[in-house]
Amino acid sequence: MVYCIPAPKGKAFKRKKGILGGGFIALELAGNAAEAGYKVRLVHRRKNLLGLDEEVSERIRERMEGIGVEFHLDAKVLRATEEGLETDRGSISGRLKVCAYGIAPNIELALKIGIQTGRGVLIDDHFRTSAKNVYAIGDCAEHNGTIAGTAKGAVEQARALAEIVKGGKAGYDFFRSAVFKFADLSLAIIGRTRGEGRWLDEEVKVFYEGGKPVGAVVLGNTGKALRLEKSIREGFPPD
């Protein structure tokens, strides 16, 4: 989700932009705006970006600082004023503010009727919730700690669920694989990226569970991502 808080017309306000969020939408906006010559301040309520670990988040931040993005992490926005933002860590100037908070599942109804939730409505491998004959897909559904997060993912889940409710045996591959680009930085996220992580080189960090590779992050050379994804899917140690 992206919202823009209007600012007065004129050249002065265009020099500074405040972007609220720490997901791929916020980072893409920040990178593009910085490349276009704007002074960008990105404000995020958490310490890490994209829900990744501290090391990977730090590398993304360093690369984007190199093109002029200024980060204000672990900062809670208290109010927006005509001149900027007031946070619990101080004031940030900039008349134009863009809210790019990304996915915020609405789980209110599920909670009211006792369906199990986390960040989203919890589902199993067949989209079933904890309530009989109730399914969930798309941005409200959470599977193994992950929410689909894209229109493509939601459409694919809808097709798979349609086959399931018709009595078919079609399954759905919840394995996450996505490539993003923030200015000149390309980033691939593969599988699950929590838990024990080890760097293969300066660009690739692989994550393991029980000694088995379950995910990876690739910074820069995303050509490596296809080979990594194949290895991880097949359970082989990445090169």
Side-chain angles (χ1 to χ4, degrees), residues 121-154:
V121 179
L122 299 181
I123 59 172
D124 66 9
D125 292 345
H126 295 84
F127 306 107
R128 293 174 296 205
T129 70
S130 60
K132 186 178 180 180
N133 295 327
V134 177
Y135 299 83
I137 60 172
D139 288 357
C140 76
E142 178 183 347
H143 178 269
N144 199 21
T146 300
I147 294 171
T150 64
K152 179 175 180 289

Side-chain angles (χ1 to χ4, degrees), residues 5 31 44 55 60 158 174 179 183 202 222:
I5 299 175
H44 186 39
E55 284 186 327
I60 295 170
F174 284 92
V179 176
E202 288 298 310
T222 53

Side-chain angles (χ1 to χ4, degrees), residues 3-196:
Y3 299 94
C4 183
I5 299 175
K9 294 182 178 180
K11 295 181 179 179
F13 87 90
K14 292 184 178 180
R15 299 195 186 107
K16 297 179 181 179
K17 295 180 184 293
I19 297 176
L20 286 71
F24 71 90
I25 294 175
L27 291 170
E28 185 176 18
L29 283 169
N32 290 341
E35 279 198 325
Y38 297 108
K39 177 66 176 178
V40 178
R41 281 78 182 266
L42 187 144
V43 185
H44 186 39
R45 64 182 182 273
R46 297 191 174 92
K47 293 181 179 180
N48 297 345
L49 303 167
L50 290 165
L52 298 171
D53 69 13
E54 187 174 350
E55 284 186 327
V56 177
S57 178
E58 179 70 11
R59 294 201 183 189
I60 295 170
R61 185 181 64 79
E62 289 175 353
R63 288 285 294 273
M64 296 193 70
E65 283 179 340
I67 61 169
V69 178
E70 180 181 301
F71 286 85
H72 298 265
L73 302 179
D74 198 22
K76 181 180 178 181
V77 175
L78 303 176
R79 67 184 64 86
T81 68
E82 184 175 338
E83 298 301 321
L85 296 168
E86 297 292 331
T87 78
D88 58 355
R89 291 178 172 269
S91 300
I92 301 168
S93 63
R95 292 191 173 187
L96 180 65
K97 301 92 174 171
V98 182
C99 300
Y101 288 129
I103 302 167
N106 186 339
I107 59 175
E108 183 179 352
L109 178 60
L111 288 170
K112 282 183 178 179
I113 60 178
I115 292 176
Q116 293 179 2
T117 62
R119 279 199 306 137
V121 179
L122 299 181
I123 59 172
D124 66 9
D125 292 345
H126 295 84
F127 306 107
R128 293 174 296 205
T129 70
S130 60
K132 186 178 180 180
N133 295 327
V134 177
Y135 299 83
I137 60 172
D139 288 357
C140 76
E142 178 183 347
H143 178 269
N144 199 21
T146 300
I147 294 171
T150 64
K152 179 175 180 289
V155 170
E156 290 173 348
Q157 289 185 7
R159 288 175 179 154
L161 178 58
E163 291 299 317
I164 290 171
V165 297
K166 286 192 301 182
K169 295 183 179 180
Y172 180 76
D173 187 356
F174 284 92
F175 191 91
R176 178 175 66 160
S177 180
V179 176
F180 308 104
K181 189 171 178 63
F182 314 129
D184 65 344
L185 172 62
S186 296
L187 172 74
I189 300 177
I190 303 164
R192 299 196 294 276
T193 54
R194 293 184 175 88
E196 178 194 0

